[in-house]
Amino acid sequence: MIIIIAFSTRTSKLMPRLFCRHFKHCAPIIFNKNKGFILLQFITTKKIIPINLSQRDLSVLESFGWRFVYLGNIKKYKPKHPFTCVQFTKQVIGMKKVFIQTPDSLYKLFL
């Protein structure tokens, strides 16, 4: 599976608006040959919604200010009760860096 991490400057939640500077939300996108692109939208700790996307949907998201970081292949992931979208994304890609807590710091890591 190929992983793409999507970063957005918009969110409807209050806490990211207060604590996050530029990017307010991040979400992993998994590419599967059989199913296409699947965005894993973090809602709450126990609610993660898969959203099917096409290549056109990714270009529309990019025109609305979303940024994408393309990563290589990963093995299976098992998220364990994440509290934020950043923790969820880190668990999906298998990252264990404790000091990365905002989407901005996660984005800067990949630049």
Side-chain angles (χ1 to χ4, degrees), residues 31-87:
F31 177 72
N32 192 345
K33 291 181 182 178
N34 300 330
K35 297 179 182 178
F37 294 101
I38 300 171
L39 182 131
L40 299 174
Q41 181 70 38
F42 177 82
I43 305 297
T44 61
T45 301
K46 296 182 182 179
K47 190 170 185 181
I48 297 166
I49 298 175
I51 300 171
N52 293 327
L53 299 175
S54 66
Q55 183 67 37
R56 182 181 178 277
D57 294 331
L58 291 178
S59 62
V60 169
L61 287 175
E62 193 169 21
S63 69
F64 279 102
W66 286 60
R67 301 282 185 246
F68 299 105
V69 174
Y70 296 88
L71 301 177
N73 293 334
I74 66 159
K75 297 179 181 179
K76 294 184 180 183
Y77 61 92
K78 296 227 177 195
K80 298 175 184 174
H81 308 296
F83 290 108
T84 64
C85 63
V86 176
Q87 287 180 353

